[in-house]
């Protein structure tokens, strides 16, 4: 049985009789949505040996080959059979912009015409792909342009993994090690199942064989989902967007977190399983006069005391429509030093790709339910 989400994005009425595979439903399965075991089931239903699934998976995920015709270690007749019976959906690269600092932003168009962005950051010092998990975001953080769009829809697992597949191919990095941060558009834990499935797909040994150490999932802190994540066999690095040291300020900055107390979030972080020497990253966007006082620095160090934590300070990336400003470099430095004196490991995120709007919180490509159409939002920048 092919899961519903594995079916292709073709609009109704676009199916042909030859697309029907006996035993796997009457829509063409979309192989880009499948984990290895699911792919093996499709291949078997087509009357082929399961090991062919490994070959297809390797072509698709490791080599980025999306045409069955190019999978040259499969027999010609099997390739034809696959073409008739299956489909492979890939986010299409609509534009690619290069920043003066080497960062590159990819705009993708999805099967339903929606658009998302992914960013390649060449030297963090590792190579890093910043990937989206939703079209827009429902969290509505007051300083984030993606948040202002609202949520248009979740991405499927294939769309999340597809961004990585296409970036690796376009950048010719399939045989190079790179990191993935789920810090593009969206809240990954709000789209839990698709995000975790995408990570399993990327981790598969016959694919890119990504290890958990190379992946960082960033969240505003959805507690039930964090508890679920802590039970997973494959747990990525965790980054928690903290952004405030009092409930009042945090609830103002992240209105969807109003039911969540900081103390409960920190308790959940203390419970989160960490492997030897691993730490949770706490992201803290610095907003001038809002959360950057020396009292904030003292409270932050206090909140994190005893936690295996590091703090990543994100001086605000300003944009029209964002009602906050970025503190001066001296103020950022003072805040960082104060945390360090409090015993906290701290780094300041260098903002990358600002000239092409690829920096944190600047990914906004699609009109969301709030009604701001993409061109309107983009014109404002
Ligand atoms: N939904 C996830 C991923 C968001 S993007 C989360 O909230 O963690 C990654 C980081 O960029 C988050 O910490 C987010 O708060 C931050 N961010 C958003 N807008 C920003 C901006 N304008 N300037 C700096 N950082 C920003």
């Amino acid at each position: 049985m092919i899961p519903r989400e594995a079916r292709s994005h073709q609009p109704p009425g676009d199916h042909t009789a030859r697309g029907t595979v006996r035993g796997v439903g009457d829509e063409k399965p979309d192989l880009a949505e499948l984990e290895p075991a699911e792919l093996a089931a499709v291949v078997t239903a087509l009357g082929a040996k399961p090991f062919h699934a490994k070959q297809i998976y390797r072509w698709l995920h490791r080599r980025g080959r999306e045409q069955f015709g190019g999978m040259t270690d499969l027999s010609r007749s099997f390739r034809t059979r696959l073409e008739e019976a299956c489909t492979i959906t890939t986010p299409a690269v609509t534009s690619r912009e290069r920043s003066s600092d080497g960062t590159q932003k990819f705009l993708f168009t999805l099967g339903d015409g929606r658009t998302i962005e992914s960013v390649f950051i060449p030297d963090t010092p590792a190579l890093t792909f910043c990937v989206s998990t939703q079209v827009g975001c429902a969290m509505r953080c007051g300083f984030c342009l993606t948040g202002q769009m609202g949520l248009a829809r979740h991405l499927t697992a294939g769309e999340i993994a597809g961004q990585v597949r296409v970036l690796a191919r376009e950048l010719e990095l399939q045989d190079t090690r790179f990191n993935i941060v789920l810090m593009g558009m969206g809240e990954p834990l709000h789209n839990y199942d698709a995000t975790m499935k995408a990570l399993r797909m990327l981790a598969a040994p016959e694919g890119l064989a990504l290890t958990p150490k190379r992946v960082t999932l960033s969240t505003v802190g959805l507690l039930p989902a964090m508890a679920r994540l802590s039970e997973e066999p494959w747990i990525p690095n965790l980054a928690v967007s903290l952004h405030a040291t009092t409930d009042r300020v945090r609830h103002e900055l992240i209105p969807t977190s109003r039911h969540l107390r900081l103390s409960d979030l920190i308790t959940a972080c203390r419970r989160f399983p960490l492997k030897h020497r691993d730490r949770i990253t706490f992201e803290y966007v610095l907003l001038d006069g809002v959360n950057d006082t020396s009292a904030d620095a003292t409270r932050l160090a206090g909140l994190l005391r005893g936690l295996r934590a590091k703090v990543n300070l994100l001086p605000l990336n300003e944009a029209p429509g964002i009602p906050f400003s970025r503190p001066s470099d001296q103020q950022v430095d003072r805040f960082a030093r104060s945390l360090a004196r409090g015993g906290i490991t701290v780094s300041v995120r260098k903002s990358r790709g600002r000239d092409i709007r690829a920096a944190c919180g600047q990914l906004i490509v699609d009109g969301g339910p709030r009604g701001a159409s993409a061109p309107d939002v983009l014109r404002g920048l």
Side-chain angles (χ1 to χ4, degrees):
M1 181 65 197
I2 304 303
R4 246 199 74 67
E5 63 178 27
R7 309 235 167 100
S8 79
H9 292 297
Q10 284 172 322
D14 198 21
H15 306 284
T16 54
R18 68 192 182 117
T20 307
V21 184
R22 215 158 20 98
V24 293
D26 48 25
E27 281 178 74
K28 282 188 175 193
D30 182 354
L31 305 195
E33 294 288 348
L34 304 183
E35 295 178 56
E38 295 170 326
L39 182 59
V42 171
V43 164
T44 316
L46 288 170
K49 293 258 179 335
F51 77 87
H52 291 307
K54 290 200 168 148
Q55 292 170 299
I56 299 169
Y57 204 92
R58 218 174 284 135
W59 278 116
L60 179 58
H61 293 276
R62 200 180 296 167
R63 306 261 49 102
R65 187 68 61 91
E66 287 137 3
Q67 307 298 330
F68 295 113
M71 301 184 179
T72 47
D73 55 0
L74 303 175
S75 74
R76 213 171 272 278
S77 61
F78 185 45
R79 281 185 260 163
T80 309
R81 182 86 187 95
L82 284 167
E83 225 149 75
E84 287 170 354
C86 305
T87 177
I88 290 176
T89 304
T90 299
V93 179
T94 305
S95 75
R96 179 172 166 176
E97 288 175 84
R98 192 186 294 262
S99 158
S100 53
D101 65 21
T103 299
Q104 293 188 45
K105 184 169 78 169
F106 289 75
L107 176 72
F108 286 104
T109 303
L110 306 173
D112 64 353
R114 298 260 182 200
T115 46
I116 52 164
E117 290 178 330
S118 317
V119 180
F120 167 63
I121 309 152
D123 52 354
T124 54
L127 306 172
T128 301
F129 295 179
C130 177
V131 169
S132 296
T133 53
Q134 296 177 315
V135 184
C137 185
M139 299 300 120
R140 302 198 185 278
C141 300
F143 47 82
C144 179
L145 285 179
T146 309
Q148 292 192 350
M149 288 171 52
L151 178 68
R153 72 164 169 87
H154 293 310
L155 295 184
T156 66
E159 288 167 338
I160 299 169
Q163 297 166 62
V164 177
R165 177 171 84 242
V166 175
L167 255 65
R169 185 185 59 217
E170 296 292 312
L171 296 158
E172 297 181 20
L173 292 174
Q174 285 140 326
D175 300 312
T176 312
R177 286 208 287 194
F178 51 79
N179 295 339
I180 293 179
V181 294
L182 300 177
M183 296 186 187
M185 303 168 76
E187 164 53 48
L189 292 187
H190 185 211
N191 185 16
Y192 189 92
D193 291 332
T195 298
M196 292 314 293
K197 182 172 183 181
L199 295 183
R200 288 193 298 276
M201 287 163 64
L202 294 166
E206 50 272 67
L208 289 168
L210 223 77
T211 59
K213 270 193 179 319
R214 300 211 155 264
V215 181
T216 301
L217 183 153
S218 177
T219 177
V220 289
L222 306 182
L223 295 199
M226 271 172 66
R228 247 182 110 186
L229 183 65
S230 68
E231 302 287 322
E232 293 280 351
W234 196 101
I235 304 180
N237 298 311
L238 185 68
V240 174
S241 291
L242 203 61
H243 304 327
T245 59
T246 64
D247 283 327
R248 189 186 58 77
V249 173
R250 191 162 198 273
H251 295 167
E252 229 160 77
L253 296 178
I254 313 174
T256 49
S257 77
R258 275 200 184 120
H259 62 285
L260 175 63
R261 285 197 310 234
L262 259 176
S263 56
D264 292 335
L265 176 56
I266 298 294
T267 303
C269 292
R270 286 188 198 280
R271 289 204 190 111
F272 196 79
L274 291 174
K275 290 220 182 73
H276 183 55
R277 290 166 68 180
D278 283 354
R279 286 187 282 185
I280 297 180
T281 301
F282 288 90
E283 294 160 285
Y284 194 96
V285 64
L286 280 170
L287 309 171
D288 188 31
V290 175
N291 63 358
D292 64 342
T293 63
S294 65
D296 280 305
T298 308
R299 274 195 299 269
L300 185 52
L303 273 172
L304 302 183
R305 194 146 295 134
L307 240 167
R308 277 156 62 192
K310 53 188 170 185
V311 170
N312 193 205
L313 297 175
L314 288 66
L316 177 73
N317 292 314
E318 292 177 309
I322 292 184
F324 299 101
S325 43
R326 179 189 180 98
S328 67
D329 289 350
Q330 291 90 317
Q331 180 55 17
V332 172
D333 195 52
R334 222 173 295 143
F335 197 87
R337 280 175 199 281
S338 171
L339 280 181
R341 270 197 309 277
I344 303 291
T345 306
V346 57
S347 59
V348 179
R349 188 175 300 176
K350 207 167 127 195
S351 179
R352 307 305 308 264
R354 277 159 86 190
D355 53 341
I356 55 167
R357 282 194 332 275
C360 293
Q362 298 196 315
L363 305 181
I364 44 154
V365 291
D366 208 312
R370 270 190 178 182
S373 72
D376 284 339
V377 176
L378 293 171
R379 224 174 287 131
L381 289 176

XYZ file of all heavy atoms in Angstrom, residues 14 17 20 35 137 156 189 204 340 350:
69
model
N -5.536 13.997 -14.700
C -4.299 13.970 -15.464
C -3.692 12.570 -15.515
O -2.560 12.377 -15.862
C -3.306 14.950 -14.825
C -2.171 15.307 -15.782
O -2.347 15.145 -17.005
O -1.123 15.715 -15.290
N -4.543 5.542 -18.118
C -4.797 4.150 -17.726
C -3.479 3.402 -17.563
O -3.321 2.612 -16.653
C -5.660 3.475 -18.783
N -1.549 2.828 -14.059
C -2.031 2.038 -12.935
C -1.109 0.851 -12.644
O -0.767 0.088 -13.533
C -3.444 1.516 -13.241
O -4.233 2.633 -13.599
C -4.046 0.822 -12.051
N 10.473 6.219 1.373
C 11.643 5.689 2.067
C 12.036 4.383 1.372
O 11.232 3.814 0.634
C 11.294 5.392 3.518
C 10.955 6.620 4.323
C 10.565 6.259 5.742
O 11.370 5.595 6.434
O 9.460 6.632 6.165
N 4.820 30.127 7.467
C 4.996 29.641 8.835
C 3.826 30.145 9.672
O 3.346 31.261 9.460
C 6.310 30.168 9.411
S 6.692 29.520 11.059
N 5.688 18.346 1.795
C 5.740 16.892 1.922
C 7.186 16.487 2.201
O 8.125 17.273 1.987
C 5.291 16.196 0.617
O 6.256 16.498 -0.408
C 3.908 16.666 0.168
N 8.861 21.345 13.579
C 8.094 20.467 14.483
C 6.587 20.642 14.299
O 5.804 19.819 14.782
C 8.503 20.700 15.939
C 9.928 20.264 16.296
C 10.162 20.372 17.800
C 10.232 18.842 15.806
N 19.183 7.475 4.709
C 19.268 6.104 4.175
C 20.649 5.869 3.560
O 21.148 6.710 2.812
C 18.182 5.905 3.119
N 29.313 35.212 28.333
C 30.533 34.424 28.494
C 31.013 34.487 29.940
O 31.422 33.480 30.518
C 31.601 34.922 27.529
N 26.999 35.282 12.080
C 27.315 36.238 11.030
C 26.163 36.175 10.048
O 25.745 35.095 9.640
C 28.615 35.764 10.357
C 29.427 36.847 9.737
C 30.813 36.306 9.409
C 31.124 36.589 7.957
N 32.244 35.814 7.459
